[in-house]
Amino acid sequence: MKLEALVAAFAQHTAAQTDAIFRGDAKMGNRHAKKRIAAFKKLRSHGDAGRDALTVLFRHPRMDVRVMAAAYLLRYRTAEAKAVLTETSKGIGLAAFGASETLQRWEEGTWSLDPADVAENKESTGQVVQPRQISRRRNNGSSTDQLGVDGQRHKRNLQVSLGKLVNDFSRHVAAQTDAVFRGDARTGNLHAKRYVAAFEKLRGHGDAGRAALMVLLTHPRMDVRVAAAAHLLRYRTAEAKAVLQEVAKGEGLAAFEAQEALKRWEEGAWALDPE
């Protein structure tokens, strides 16, 4: 397969994994993640030519694709990759969280997506040594490659879990609003309890869970934006207040809830996510 096709597959499956995460489809997300990893391994088997081909994704229109390419190229193109990750980490949502986590692992010395020994181990004939061949030569089972795979799997599972919880939160907020306008208080209360439960589970993941919820600050439904902002007032005060203040200028239930959330915040009575 040509390098361009492998790069396209890497980008395609990265984007598809993200989309699956936000649909709450863990099985499909994992499938696309495996295909992305397979595409990178094939690129890596071409040595630096494969890595060079992947750098084109630093300018991809999708943030998640840019972040993923930069994460894999930190050793090979450190300055350019760090620039992409640093810029993205200033934002909100899962891509920003992923960029921050990658930079943290790099600084801690635990990054291992493309270890140097894979690049350096080539036969004297010039034939590229496949990653699995190198792994067999190592002395123990906890190889750098395996650590990298385990780290990717853990991150992938976390993203899928957080994505599902964010999807649950938005779905039940919207369903509660719809029930209220139907005059169905019982169903509305049921959905309210479920979105509160989703947030509690997100909070159980600490700031990673809160960062995941920030993607809803740009949700197309106003009620979902307001609910997310109300819960994130302590964690991301400026961004959350900006959402609430904009909605509060309007009319209707969402505007009223935005006004009430801001009022409770200013009065010191806000307690949706206490420290």
Side-chain angles (χ1 to χ4, degrees), residues 192-266:
K193 290 178 182 177
R194 288 178 177 173
Y195 83 69
V196 170
F199 178 73
E200 288 300 317
K201 290 178 181 177
L202 283 166
R203 193 168 69 164
H205 289 281
D207 286 347
R210 296 179 179 92
L213 192 65
M214 292 190 68
V215 71
L216 298 185
L217 296 182
T218 56
H219 194 277
R221 284 192 56 142
M222 191 182 297
D223 53 344
V224 175
R225 295 199 300 275
V226 167
H231 283 78
L232 291 170
L233 270 168
R234 181 182 61 79
Y235 177 63
R236 285 293 183 92
T237 305
E239 295 96 324
K241 284 184 71 175
V243 170
L244 294 171
Q245 288 167 348
E246 181 62 29
V247 176
K249 298 174 184 176
E251 299 178 352
L253 182 60
F256 172 73
E257 290 177 342
Q259 294 162 9
E260 287 296 298
L262 288 167
K263 180 181 178 181
R264 287 193 296 273
W265 177 258
E266 296 302 329

Side-chain angles (χ1 to χ4, degrees), residues 1 17 20 42 55 59 82 118 126 165 175 179 185 189 195 205 252 262 275:
M1 185 180 291
Q17 180 196 12
K42 290 177 181 177
T55 61
R59 301 181 297 278
K82 284 185 72 175
V118 173
L165 291 171
N189 288 337
Y195 83 69
H205 289 281
L262 288 167
E275 290 187 285

Side-chain angles (χ1 to χ4, degrees), residues 8-18 29 31-33 35-37 39:
F10 183 99
Q12 175 195 342
H13 292 298
T14 296
Q17 180 196 12
T18 302
R31 183 180 302 170
H32 285 295
K35 290 181 178 179
R36 180 196 70 240
I37 292 168

Side-chain angles (χ1 to χ4, degrees), residues 49-173:
R51 296 176 177 91
D52 280 328
L54 196 62
T55 61
V56 70
L57 298 184
F58 286 168
R59 301 181 297 278
H60 195 277
R62 284 191 57 141
M63 189 183 298
D64 53 345
V65 175
R66 297 197 301 272
V67 166
M68 193 62 69
Y72 276 85
L73 292 171
L74 266 170
R75 181 188 59 78
Y76 180 63
R77 289 288 190 92
T78 305
E80 298 98 316
K82 284 185 72 175
V84 171
L85 295 168
T86 301
E87 180 63 28
T88 305
S89 68
K90 299 174 184 176
I92 62 175
L94 278 180
F97 171 69
S100 300
E101 288 293 296
T102 301
L103 287 168
Q104 182 179 340
R105 286 195 294 275
W106 177 257
E107 298 301 330
E108 293 173 347
T110 57
W111 175 93
S112 55
L113 292 178
D114 181 25
D117 51 3
V118 173
E120 294 165 358
N121 280 275
K122 295 184 178 181
E123 304 291 353
S124 58
T125 60
Q127 180 181 0
V128 176
V129 179
Q130 299 295 332
R132 60 179 178 275
Q133 293 173 301
I134 295 169
S135 297
R136 283 199 296 267
R137 294 173 188 172
R138 291 177 179 147
N139 293 325
N140 57 65
S142 58
S143 65
T144 306
D145 259 358
Q146 187 57 48
L147 287 173
V149 170
D150 290 344
Q152 292 174 50
R153 184 179 298 116
H154 173 72
K155 179 182 175 182
R156 183 167 70 245
N157 290 340
L158 176 61
Q159 288 179 326
V160 169
S161 176
L162 295 179
K164 183 179 185 304
L165 291 171
V166 169
N167 183 63
D168 287 346
F169 182 95
S170 63
R171 179 162 55 88
H172 290 298
V173 168

